[in-house]
Amino acid sequence: MNLLELTWPAVKALDPNTPVVFPVAALEQHGGHMPLFTDSLLLGEVVRRVAERQPYQNRVLFAPLQWLGNSDHHLDFAGTLSAPPRVYLDLLTGLLDNFIMHGFHRLIFINGHGGNDVPGKQVVFEARQKYRQRDDLMLLFATYWNLGGQPNAANSSLIQTQMGHACEWETSMMLRIQPQLVVGDLTKLESIPFGNAFEPASRGWITRERTTPGHIGDPRTASAEKGETLFTVFADDFARMLDRVLAWDGRSWNG
Ligand SMILES: [Zn+2]
């Protein structure tokens, strides 16, 4: 079900246990070869592939994709639009509050931008504290490439083993859905290593200290065929997460 297409009485009449999905992404620089709307386009495709599957068509409510993300670390690159971190916390908290007020219990953020990960987890943590008298809420935040799938096991031609930025993975997915938006000769790009920034400590960072062109990873060997593998793996992962949300008994810690 698409929230955009429903009337308010139709939403009011839904089973309050209907999972509500909020896709969240970004509009930010993606190197010299990829469009600013990359994260939103890619997450939109993952969600589209899952939303159209028969088991979810009438059992899951999908809100429209929130394209404004927390992208302050990319602001040295022109065109980036960002909700500052604390604004972003309030933005996502508002979405949860709205749908808790509307009576729903199972609220899931599906995320397509790395910069949303820390504030997104903080949002579901804080909301759980705020609604601590309730014992019927499930508040989840999930990033689509971190749901357990192993793209490299599905397609051995993939080089990267983790998500970068405007990298082999993202460039391949864009070549799969909107190849006309990938510009220039990919083979002339440089591979930007992920590096080791004092790991396992978590270092505060801005993008320009890690990359000059804006991408991180190796987009040189991206292909539409790799992109199809990635979309298949990530959509299946997200569908499995929705299956678990649908199967939740409404009370348990385990799911
Ligand atoms: Zn991205």
Side-chain angles (χ1 to χ4, degrees):
M1 294 174 285
N2 186 345
L3 181 62
L4 289 173
E5 298 172 349
L6 297 180
T7 63
W8 74 261
V11 175
K12 190 176 171 65
L14 289 174
D15 180 339
N17 285 307
T18 302
V20 184
V21 173
F22 299 97
V24 294
L27 190 160
E28 64 180 26
Q29 73 84 17
H30 268 73
H33 65 289
M34 293 264 278
L36 292 157
F37 214 45
T38 291
D39 286 346
S40 295
L41 293 171
L42 302 185
L43 176 65
E45 175 67 7
V46 172
V47 171
R48 186 192 67 77
R49 288 181 179 219
V50 173
E52 71 182 12
R53 294 184 187 184
Q54 197 278 329
Y56 313 115
Q57 281 180 6
N58 296 313
R59 298 176 68 203
V60 177
L61 180 59
F62 290 89
L65 186 144
Q66 170 54 261
W67 59 262
L68 181 62
N70 169 43
S71 299
D72 272 20
H73 48 309
H74 291 291
L75 282 172
D76 293 302
F77 298 82
T80 299
L81 284 172
S82 177
R86 283 165 182 76
V87 172
Y88 195 63
L89 291 171
D90 286 346
L91 181 68
L92 297 193
T93 297
L95 298 178
L96 287 186
D97 286 344
N98 295 162
F99 262 76
I100 290 172
M101 182 184 289
H102 296 325
F104 291 84
H105 302 171
R106 305 175 192 219
L107 308 176
I108 307 107
F109 291 106
I110 182 71
N111 173 44
H113 164 52
N116 296 344
D117 189 59
V118 170
K121 289 173 180 171
Q122 179 72 8
V123 163
V124 292
F125 181 80
E126 285 189 13
R128 185 69 194 101
Q129 313 313 308
K130 183 163 77 176
Y131 296 101
R132 67 183 311 116
Q133 307 307 332
R134 298 278 298 269
D135 56 9
D136 57 356
L137 288 178
M138 180 206 289
L139 310 173
L140 294 180
F141 185 91
T143 295
Y144 75 74
W145 60 85
N146 282 337
L147 294 178
Q150 301 289 338
N152 304 73
N155 184 339
S156 60
S157 71
L158 283 161
I159 296 167
Q160 285 181 206
T161 56
Q162 60 178 309
M163 181 59 101
H165 187 71
C167 57
E168 180 196 31
W169 287 13
E170 286 194 320
T171 306
S172 292
M173 288 188 281
M174 189 61 74
L175 286 171
R176 175 66 185 84
I177 58 169
Q178 297 222 40
Q180 78 282 6
L181 297 181
V182 180
V183 299
D185 183 351
L186 294 179
T187 64
K188 295 215 161 54
L189 297 173
E190 54 180 316
S191 174
I192 308 283
F194 289 82
N196 180 346
F198 296 88
E199 291 165 8
S202 183
R203 181 179 180 182
W205 60 283
I206 55 174
T207 307
R208 69 171 158 77
E209 65 195 347
R210 298 181 60 178
T211 170
T212 300
H215 67 271
I216 298 169
D218 189 355
R220 294 175 299 178
T221 61
S223 72
E225 181 240 335
K226 291 179 181 180
E228 179 58 31
T229 298
L230 291 156
F231 278 127
T232 300
V233 168
F234 297 144
D236 287 348
D237 277 356
F238 178 37
R240 270 189 290 274
M241 179 58 64
L242 284 183
D243 290 340
R244 292 166 63 188
V245 171
L246 284 162
W248 184 54
D249 65 8
R251 296 268 161 166
S252 299
W253 173 246
N254 292 315

